[in-house]
Amino acid sequence: MSTSERLIESTRALLWERGYVGTSPKAILERAGAGQGSMYHHFKGKPDLALAAIRRTAEEMRATAAGVLDGPGTPYERIEAYLLRERDVLRGCPVGRLTMDPDVIADDALRAPVDETLDWLRARLAGIVEEGREQGEFAPGLDSEEIAAAVVATVQGGYVLARASGSPAAFDAGVRGLLALLAPQDRQPRTRP
Amino acid sequence: MSTSERLIESTRALLWERGYVGTSPKAILERAGAGQGSMYHHFKGKPDLALAAIRRTAEEMRATAAGVLDGPGTPYERIEAYLLRERDVLRGCPVGRLTMDPDVIADDALRAPVDETLDWLRARLAGIVEEGREQGEFAPGLDSEEIAAAVVATVQGGYVLARASGSPAAFDAGVRGLLALLAPQDRQPRTRP
């Protein structure tokens, strides 16, 4: 792996574990096994390197979500598959957790990939809810954008509950609760693998 | 206000704004207008002071939630009132945000008040859902603990969406989506004031 790659991958790991505020340039260099000079050769500084790292994490999250949401099944089944897909629940969401980072939120450039990714996810889910309404799987009175926001919020908030309690059970409970409310009549939600 | 009080209140504000990792003892002392000696006179150090601050914030959050959840109305109306109560949405939840703080999650003493508060909230909400099931306001097949987890997760995740987008609208959308799914037939959810 090139030095530039090692710097980006180390930054991604540290941002996920410790957030932006908690990640020092020194910690990145140590993890990457790189010197200060090489960081400034490839990047303008911590914000620039963090932006590259956040963009890559955001792209990965989008690809993973798209893989499930564009998969087979009815609209309900695709939303179910998205909510139940395997996750490293106790680590939290590498994109969503950045919203609790004051220096990310204060910097429009760093916030942009976070906002765009969650926005994309909501829009994609809203389209699926819309399909489900048209096919009669969901009630016609539901607002697809509101349901989509509730789905994304349940996942993001599920991480909060799981990390607070030190167990994925709380995440699973929230997701199952939402699925039970969303499920077409006479349908039992499945369980996360 | 006593020095000890000023230290606690300054720590609470900084924990909310910048998290535990992002809050230095120096920043606390500056904000409190206190010297290092007075901090160590009253507290063993940053973890001890943070614990006092987190406990007080957790107590306040519990009192505010109880005020709404123990208020008048049917079970659905009380859950609706909880979800729609006025919040400083863009600041996020002062308790929930601590779950994204690696040093809080790694320290059982600091994590305890966060876990206990969210746990209390879920249990209180589950009791209300249970009441609603008994009174026929909610479907008998719903699992009250799962619905309670979905309610708390939607709020916590709603903060993530709002902070990502820089607008409370995404929080409101998620809450309205959940309320639409939870609402008894022929009932339109209200709007957050």
Side-chain angles (χ1 to χ4, degrees):
Chain A
M1 220 194 281
S2 70
T3 308
S4 155
E5 273 300 297
R6 288 206 314 277
L7 286 166
I8 292 177
E9 290 302 316
S10 300
T11 304
R12 292 177 65 197
L14 285 165
L15 288 177
W16 197 355
E17 278 168 31
R18 303 200 48 83
Y20 184 84
V21 168
T23 296
S24 64
K26 187 165 166 254
I28 296 172
L29 295 174
E30 275 178 16
R31 191 164 185 140
Q36 201 169 6
S38 69
M39 178 169 122
Y40 285 99
H41 175 71
H42 294 288
F43 301 97
K44 274 176 259 166
K46 178 179 152 185
D48 189 38
L49 176 51
L51 183 58
I54 294 171
R55 280 197 181 133
R56 187 174 297 179
T57 299
E59 270 163 36
E60 266 190 17
M61 176 176 152
R62 195 185 284 218
T64 306
V68 178
L69 294 173
D70 299 344
T74 69
Y76 173 80
E77 284 165 353
R78 278 180 284 153
I79 293 173
E80 187 186 45
Y82 169 70
L83 285 167
L84 299 179
R85 79 170 173 77
E86 270 190 272
R87 286 177 170 87
D88 202 348
V89 169
L90 289 178
R91 290 186 77 190
C93 173
V95 174
R97 69 105 64 228
L98 294 168
T99 61
M100 295 304 144
D101 224 309
D103 293 358
V104 172
I105 293 306
D107 182 328
D108 284 344
L110 293 178
R111 185 169 62 83
V114 176
D115 185 25
E116 284 159 17
T117 306
L118 293 172
D119 218 47
W120 170 86
L121 185 56
R122 283 165 60 197
R124 187 72 197 83
L125 281 161
I128 295 173
V129 174
E130 196 60 36
E131 273 180 63
R133 281 178 38 185
E134 283 162 13
Q135 297 171 16
E137 198 176 26
F138 299 133
L142 294 180
D143 179 305
S144 54
E145 295 194 6
E146 289 177 1
I147 301 301
V151 170
V152 180
T154 301
V155 169
Q156 293 295 329
Y159 290 121
V160 170
L161 299 185
R163 285 174 63 90
S165 61
S167 153
F171 179 98
D172 293 339
V175 156
R176 284 179 59 86
L178 184 70
L179 282 173
L181 294 173
L182 193 60
Q185 294 289 334
D186 304 326
R187 174 149 205 164
Q188 289 299 316
R190 290 185 297 122
T191 309
R192 202 167 56 89
Chain B
M1 219 194 282
S2 71
T3 307
S4 157
E5 273 300 297
R6 289 206 314 278
L7 286 166
I8 293 177
E9 290 301 317
S10 301
T11 305
R12 291 177 67 197
L14 284 165
L15 287 177
W16 197 355
E17 278 169 29
R18 303 200 47 83
Y20 184 84
V21 168
T23 296
S24 64
K26 187 165 166 253
I28 296 171
L29 295 174
E30 275 178 17
R31 191 163 185 140
Q36 202 170 6
S38 70
M39 178 169 121
Y40 285 99
H41 176 71
H42 294 288
F43 300 96
K44 275 176 259 165
K46 176 179 154 185
D48 189 39
L49 175 50
L51 183 58
I54 293 172
R55 280 197 182 132
R56 188 175 296 180
T57 298
E59 270 163 34
E60 266 191 18
M61 177 174 151
R62 197 186 282 218
T64 305
V68 178
L69 295 172
D70 299 343
T74 69
Y76 174 79
E77 285 165 352
R78 278 180 282 153
I79 293 173
E80 187 185 45
Y82 168 71
L83 286 167
L84 299 179
R85 80 170 173 78
E86 270 190 273
R87 286 177 169 87
D88 201 348
V89 169
L90 289 179
R91 289 186 78 190
C93 173
V95 175
R97 68 105 65 228
L98 294 169
T99 61
M100 295 304 144
D101 224 309
D103 293 357
V104 172
I105 293 307
D107 182 328
D108 284 345
L110 293 178
R111 185 170 62 83
V114 175
D115 185 25
E116 284 159 19
T117 305
L118 293 173
D119 218 46
W120 170 87
L121 185 55
R122 283 165 61 196
R124 187 73 197 84
L125 281 162
I128 295 173
V129 174
E130 196 61 35
E131 273 180 61
R133 281 178 37 184
E134 283 162 12
Q135 297 170 18
E137 200 178 24
F138 299 131
L142 293 181
D143 180 304
S144 55
E145 296 194 6
E146 289 177 0
I147 301 301
V151 170
V152 181
T154 301
V155 169
Q156 293 294 330
Y159 289 122
V160 170
L161 298 185
R163 285 174 63 90
S165 61
S167 153
F171 179 98
D172 293 338
V175 157
R176 285 179 58 87
L178 185 71
L179 281 172
L181 294 172
L182 193 61
Q185 293 291 331
D186 305 325
R187 174 151 205 160
Q188 289 299 317
R190 290 184 298 122
T191 309
R192 203 167 56 88

